[in-house]
Amino acid sequence: VGKVREQKKIVVFDFDGVVCDSTDECMVTSWNAWEKWESRLGFRKTVDDFSEEEKYTFREVRPRVRGAGEYYILRRAFAEGIWIENQEIYEKLEEDWKEYLSPFKTVFFEARNRLRHENLDDWIDLHPIYNGVVEVMKTLKSQGRLYMATLKDGESVRLILGKQGLEIPVGNFLDQSKIKSKLQALDQFRKQIGCDKTDMIFIDDNITHLIEPKAAGYQVYLTTWGSTIEEYIGIAQKRNIPLLNNCKKLIKIL
């Protein structure tokens, strides 16, 4: 414990929406998964296969998704003409359709694996990296302070970061196969490291991942350099969760 306290704080990163913009990849993959779910044979490989309306609609709603199974909510809502204009509607659909989320998650990962295996470089290029984030992460890694908790699959994260020359130690990384929530991840890391909650910082672009950790006593921040929706920024401000709108601000809190 003493060794941790001599250092600056441990920083736990979310991945999608914090490190990279995975919107395009998730749009392609979830479309392919829905085709298979509906027993159709359609398969798209690039964003060029989508209309401007499809891209706009997906980008507007996608930040609400917290895990692969929830793309069922988006795809079914699009198919049925339901517009998800706020978190209340999203969570009602999540409750109404909850029995389908887990099986759709399996189909989603099958679709992702096919897309990835057909052309790995093109698949990685569907994940543009946000400016400056990886550089900060590399510095933190060199100091033994870099951790990650994501509901994305670990293989995807490893491949995307690998192209940026960054590898996160296995013990510092928790993905969707090991955690159900970000609070669970933070508690697990804290016990593993042997530190206090005040020795950790957690950053995420989805406010729903930050509310529980904040209530539990962790220091959390909502990143807004990606496509964070305005509703989430308003919730963060009401709950006294600070915002990070660029990497310079991130560096300041470290």
Side-chain angles (χ1 to χ4, degrees):
V1 176
K3 189 173 183 181
V4 171
R5 292 181 186 283
E6 288 169 11
Q7 299 177 346
K8 294 183 180 179
K9 295 187 178 185
I10 297 297
V11 186
V12 182
F13 284 74
D14 173 42
F15 186 73
D16 282 344
V18 173
V19 180
C20 76
D21 183 356
S22 63
T23 304
D24 286 346
E25 192 273 347
C26 292
M27 178 175 68
V28 177
T29 297
S30 64
W31 189 92
N32 291 335
W34 184 253
E35 284 289 290
K36 186 172 182 179
W37 183 270
E38 292 291 286
S39 302
R40 295 190 291 260
L41 298 176
F43 190 81
R44 295 178 175 180
K45 296 182 179 181
T46 73
V47 292
D48 295 335
D49 295 327
F50 293 80
S51 69
E52 290 305 313
E53 182 181 358
E54 284 178 303
K55 288 187 274 192
Y56 172 80
T57 303
F58 190 86
R59 189 164 285 275
E60 283 290 296
V61 185
R62 188 263 164 200
R64 299 187 188 278
V65 173
R66 290 164 292 209
E70 292 185 23
Y71 285 104
Y72 177 89
I73 300 169
L74 269 58
R75 286 296 162 195
R76 181 167 172 181
F78 295 158
E80 297 184 7
I82 301 169
W83 179 241
I84 304 172
E85 60 184 327
N86 56 49
Q87 192 65 21
E88 185 179 358
I89 292 173
Y90 184 85
E91 290 178 0
K92 184 179 187 308
L93 294 177
E94 181 184 12
E95 175 62 27
D96 290 347
W97 298 339
K98 61 185 176 183
E99 66 188 284
Y100 304 110
L101 305 191
S102 181
F104 189 77
K105 176 180 176 180
T106 300
V107 179
F108 181 92
F109 284 135
E110 289 171 354
R112 171 172 286 164
N113 286 336
R114 178 181 169 186
L115 190 66
R116 188 163 65 199
H117 289 147
E118 291 202 0
N119 192 316
L120 180 58
D121 286 335
D122 284 354
W123 177 82
I124 291 176
D125 288 343
L126 287 171
H127 304 80
I129 302 292
Y130 294 120
N131 289 335
V133 180
V134 170
E135 288 73 17
V136 173
M137 294 173 74
K138 286 179 177 178
T139 299
L140 289 168
K141 180 187 175 184
S142 72
Q143 299 167 349
R145 301 163 55 200
L146 175 64
Y147 287 74
M148 178 167 284
T150 176
L151 295 181
K152 198 180 190 72
D153 63 290
E155 177 71 1
S156 290
V157 176
R158 185 185 68 78
L159 290 167
I160 295 163
L161 290 181
K163 194 165 184 180
Q164 301 295 319
L166 175 61
E167 182 179 346
I168 299 178
V170 174
N172 296 24
F173 181 88
L174 293 171
D175 74 347
Q176 58 85 27
S177 69
K178 295 173 182 160
I179 56 170
K180 298 296 184 185
S181 73
K182 300 301 176 67
L183 177 59
Q184 179 190 356
L186 295 177
D187 286 341
Q188 194 165 322
F189 282 144
R190 181 172 57 83
K191 291 173 185 174
Q192 173 185 322
I193 298 163
C195 66
D196 294 333
K197 292 177 180 178
T198 53
D199 293 321
M200 301 175 70
I201 291 171
F202 174 50
I203 63 174
D204 200 302
D205 69 313
N206 189 319
I207 190 65
T208 65
H209 287 316
L210 297 172
I211 293 171
E212 281 189 333
K214 168 77 171 177
Y218 287 101
Q219 185 178 352
V220 302
Y221 291 84
L222 179 71
T223 63
T224 62
W225 55 65
S227 53
T228 309
I229 52 182
E230 288 297 320
E231 182 185 1
Y232 286 178
I233 294 173
I235 294 170
Q237 291 169 337
K238 287 178 183 177
R239 292 179 175 269
N240 200 29
I241 293 175
L243 308 178
L244 287 177
N245 56 21
N246 59 57
C247 278
K248 288 182 180 178
K249 284 195 174 183
L250 172 57
I251 293 168
K252 284 182 180 179
I253 70 170
L254 302 180

